[in-house]
């Protein structure tokens, strides 16, 4: 139970950090924008477009979906170049906030 309480407190601190929330919000906005773009340009079902957007930005890249149109490929190139940096910055900000909390008050857990 103590581990769950520790995780809860850590996440509560993380999500009260305005910098972290801004980066997470921007990341989700970017994913939503890419989802809509691939849905419209490639004609994929919305769930497939969202799946592709998340898999691409997280660099997993299963390869089961690939843009077929020239415009879709251009969108994908731009999305990867911008999205990768944003995704890494978001993940780093969450990790940094968790570690900062842990270092500032290790007895807080």
């Amino acid at each position: 139970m103590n581990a769950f309480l520790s995780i809860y407190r850590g996440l509560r601190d993380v999500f009260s950090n305005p910098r972290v929330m801004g980066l997470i919000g921007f990341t989700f906005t970017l994913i939503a924008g890419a989802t809509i773009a691939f849905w419209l340009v490639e004609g994929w079902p919305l769930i497939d477009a969202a799946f592709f957007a998340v898999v691409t930005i997280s660099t997993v890249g299963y390869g089961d979906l690939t843009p077929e149109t020239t415009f879709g490929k251009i969108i994908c190139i731009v999305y990867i170049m911008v999205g990768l940096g944003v995704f890494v910055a978001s993940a780093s900000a969450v990790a940094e906030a968790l570690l900062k909390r842990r270092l500032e008050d290790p007895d807080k857990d």
Side-chain angles (χ1 to χ4, degrees):
M1 184 66 172
N2 208 13
F4 289 115
L5 190 58
S6 177
I7 292 169
Y8 167 75
R9 287 179 181 156
L11 290 176
R12 184 189 61 204
D13 289 351
V14 165
F15 291 117
S16 66
N17 183 322
R19 178 175 168 263
V20 173
M21 289 309 297
L23 281 168
I24 290 172
F26 186 60
T27 300
F28 279 107
T29 301
L30 197 58
I31 290 170
T35 297
I36 292 168
F38 292 121
W39 174 57
L40 293 173
V41 173
E42 294 297 322
W44 294 338
L46 204 51
I47 190 68
D48 287 345
F51 176 78
F52 180 77
V54 171
V55 166
T56 300
I57 199 171
S58 65
T59 72
V60 173
Y62 289 120
D64 51 348
L65 293 170
T66 56
E68 297 294 325
T69 66
T70 301
F71 191 52
K73 291 176 184 179
I74 291 169
I75 291 170
C76 192
I77 290 168
V78 172
Y79 177 60
I80 290 170
M81 306 233 352
V82 173
L84 179 59
V86 172
F87 182 77
V88 169
S90 294
S92 296
V94 169
E96 180 184 330
L98 283 171
L99 289 172
K100 181 180 176 189
R101 178 190 184 278
R102 190 87 167 153
L103 291 174
E104 284 177 354
D105 192 3
D107 295 330
K108 198 171 185 179
D109 297 330

